[in-house]
Amino acid sequence: MTKEKTMDIKAVKFRKDGFYSQPFAFGGEEGQEKFDKNIRYRGSLQNYLIDTGNEVILVDTGLPAGFPDGAPEETAPIYIGKSICDYMDALAALGYKPEQVTKILLTHKHADHSGELRSFPNAKIYVNAEEIGADELKDIPNLVPVEFTDGPYYNFPESQKIADGVYFIKAKGHTNGNSLIVAENEGLFYMFEGDITYVDEALYANKLSVVFDDLPAARETMDRVREFVRNQPTVYCGTHTPQGYENLEAKRVMDLDNPVPTVLAEIDFSQKEDSGKYICSVCGYLYDPAEHDGVAFEDLPDDWRCPRCKQPKTKFNKA
C-alpha cells in the first residue's frame, strides 16, 4: 500500500536583518509615545508555501523583483531588511517552479505580499472580494474573489475552504480586506498571517501595531486570533519576523502564557550613500524625486501622504 503524502509547509525567505521598533509594533491603541523607541525587535520578510501532495499553494508572493534595499536609520520606526534574494529566486531555491503553483492565497494587497503575483499566470489567486479593486491588483486577470461562503471556522465567523485542510479566513483590520490562512496538518494548526502582528512579542503582549485601516476591526481580529491560539495547538507563522519561520521549522506551538524569550535586533547604522529615494514601509511605494519634478523627499510638506496607502512621511525609509 502506498503511503499518502503528508502536507509539506515551507518558508520562502527573501529579506533578513530588519527591525521593528516597539512603538511601531505596540502603539496602535495606546499611542507610540507609551513605548520605548530604543527597543527594536528582529525583522525579516518571508512568505509561505503549502505542498498538499496534490497541489502547490502559496501564501503571498513577496516584493516585486528589483525592489531596492532600504538603509537602516536610528530614527526610523521600522526597517524591512536587506535582500537575501528576489522572491522568485527564493521559491526556486526550495525546488519549485512557477508553473507548479495552482493557487495563491493573498493575505492582503500590500506590495510585500502581492509583489510577484504576475509571475504566476496559471495560478488561481484568491483574494478577499473587498480588495479586488486595489491598485496593487490592477490588470491581474486570474483573481478569484473570496466571499467567505463556508460559514464559521472555529471562533472566526467567516471562512472559505480552499483545499482539504486549508482555510481562508476573514481578518479585517490591518486592511479592510485583510485575511489569514490556516492549514491543518498532523494535529497542528498552522496560522499564516500577513500583518495582524509584525512581531510575536505583540501577540504575547496583546498589542496592535500602528498600521490599520479599521482599528476596532483590528482589535476584534487580534482577540479572535488569541482565543484561537489558546484553544488550538497553533504554529504561528508571521511574515515580518524570523520568529515566523523559526516557529514553523521547530513546529513550535504558541503558548501565550509562556513567551519565547525575545532576541532584540542588532543593527549597523553606519552611513550609506544616499540615493535620494525613499520606500514606504507599509505598502512598498517608492518615492523617486526624478518622478516628482525633482522635489527631494525632505522638502515635501509635513502633511504629505503616501500616494498609495496614505501613510505619513514617517513611515518611509531611505532606499
Side-chain angles (χ1 to χ4, degrees), residues 154-179:
Y154 290 84
N155 62 310
F156 293 96
E158 297 178 79
S159 72
Q160 188 158 322
K161 184 178 179 179
I162 301 298
D164 287 344
V166 181
Y167 299 87
F168 199 96
I169 298 164
K170 182 178 279 192
K172 181 177 180 178
H174 175 69
T175 68
N176 287 322
N178 202 71
S179 306

Side-chain angles (χ1 to χ4, degrees), residues 19-21 24-25 72-73 76-80 198 281-282 315 317:
F19 70 79
Y20 294 88
S21 71
F24 179 92
E73 299 179 80
I78 83 169
Y79 169 54
I80 64 172
Y198 283 85
S281 60
V282 175
K315 296 296 192 298
N317 292 331

Side-chain angles (χ1 to χ4, degrees), residues 100-118:
Q100 293 176 265
V101 176
T102 55
K103 294 172 182 174
I104 299 171
L105 313 182
L106 190 66
T107 61
H108 64 288
K109 61 189 178 181
H110 290 157
D112 50 338
H113 301 261
S114 63
E116 286 293 339
L117 289 178
R118 290 171 178 80

Side-chain angles (χ1 to χ4, degrees), residues 200-219:
D200 285 13
E201 284 83 2
L203 189 68
Y204 289 122
N206 196 17
K207 304 295 183 184
L208 295 178
S209 83
V210 300
V211 183
F212 48 79
D213 282 349
D214 186 326
L215 181 57
R219 167 43 60 194

Side-chain angles (χ1 to χ4, degrees), residues 9-287:
I9 302 172
K10 300 180 180 181
V12 187
K13 306 172 188 177
F14 53 95
R15 293 249 171 162
K16 65 178 182 177
D17 299 336
F19 70 79
Y20 294 88
S21 71
Q22 191 180 70
F24 179 92
F26 282 24
E29 289 177 303
E30 298 159 71
Q32 296 185 60
E33 69 281 357
K34 301 290 186 182
F35 300 97
D36 188 346
K37 65 183 179 181
N38 295 311
I39 295 177
R40 300 181 180 92
Y41 301 110
R42 294 180 299 151
S44 63
L45 275 175
Q46 63 277 331
N47 298 144
Y48 297 94
L49 178 150
I50 306 168
D51 186 339
T52 69
N54 298 313
E55 57 182 333
V56 177
I57 301 172
L58 300 181
V59 178
D60 293 342
T61 61
L63 287 163
F67 195 89
D69 281 15
E73 299 179 80
E74 289 191 71
T75 57
I78 83 169
Y79 169 54
I80 64 172
K82 59 187 179 184
S83 295
I84 302 170
C85 59
D86 287 338
Y87 175 87
M88 297 303 292
D89 292 332
L91 182 67
L94 295 178
Y96 292 88
K97 298 178 180 179
E99 54 267 29
Q100 293 176 265
V101 176
T102 55
K103 294 172 182 174
I104 299 171
L105 313 182
L106 190 66
T107 61
H108 64 288
K109 61 189 178 181
H110 290 157
D112 50 338
H113 301 261
S114 63
E116 286 293 339
L117 289 178
R118 290 171 178 80
S119 297
F120 300 90
N122 298 324
K124 292 181 178 180
I125 302 170
Y126 291 79
V127 56
N128 187 323
E130 294 187 41
E131 294 205 330
I132 286 291
D135 287 346
E136 295 90 338
L137 307 182
K138 283 183 177 178
D139 303 319
I140 299 177
N142 43 330
L143 298 179
V144 178
V146 176
E147 300 285 357
F148 303 99
T149 56
D150 290 336
Y153 179 80
Y154 290 84
N155 62 310
F156 293 96
E158 297 178 79
S159 72
Q160 188 158 322
K161 184 178 179 179
I162 301 298
D164 287 344
V166 181
Y167 299 87
F168 199 96
I169 298 164
K170 182 178 279 192
K172 181 177 180 178
H174 175 69
T175 68
N176 287 322
N178 202 71
S179 306
L180 60 83
I181 288 85
V182 173
E184 301 175 2
N185 188 42
E186 298 181 330
L188 297 178
F189 296 77
Y190 292 83
M191 179 178 283
F192 308 102
E193 58 90 19
D195 300 355
I196 292 171
T197 60
Y198 283 85
V199 297
D200 285 13
E201 284 83 2
L203 189 68
Y204 289 122
N206 196 17
K207 304 295 183 184
L208 295 178
S209 83
V210 300
V211 183
F212 48 79
D213 282 349
D214 186 326
L215 181 57
R219 167 43 60 194
E220 190 172 355
T221 290
M222 172 71 92
D223 291 344
R224 286 184 177 135
V225 168
R226 285 172 54 84
E227 180 184 349
F228 185 92
V229 166
R230 282 197 181 279
N231 290 289
Q232 278 71 235
T234 304
V235 180
Y236 190 70
C237 300
T239 297
H240 291 277
T241 169
Q243 294 161 311
Y245 62 76
E246 291 167 358
N247 293 340
L248 173 64
E249 291 164 4
K251 295 184 178 180
R252 181 163 57 207
V253 171
M254 175 70 70
D255 182 350
L256 296 180
D257 297 319
N258 294 283
V260 174
T262 293
V263 178
L264 294 177
E266 297 182 4
I267 305 296
D268 179 8
F269 291 108
S270 59
Q271 292 296 316
K272 299 181 179 179
E273 184 178 351
D274 191 351
S275 69
K277 300 176 183 179
Y278 281 73
I279 304 169
C280 178
S281 60
V282 175
C283 75
Y285 178 82
L286 181 67
Y287 183 88

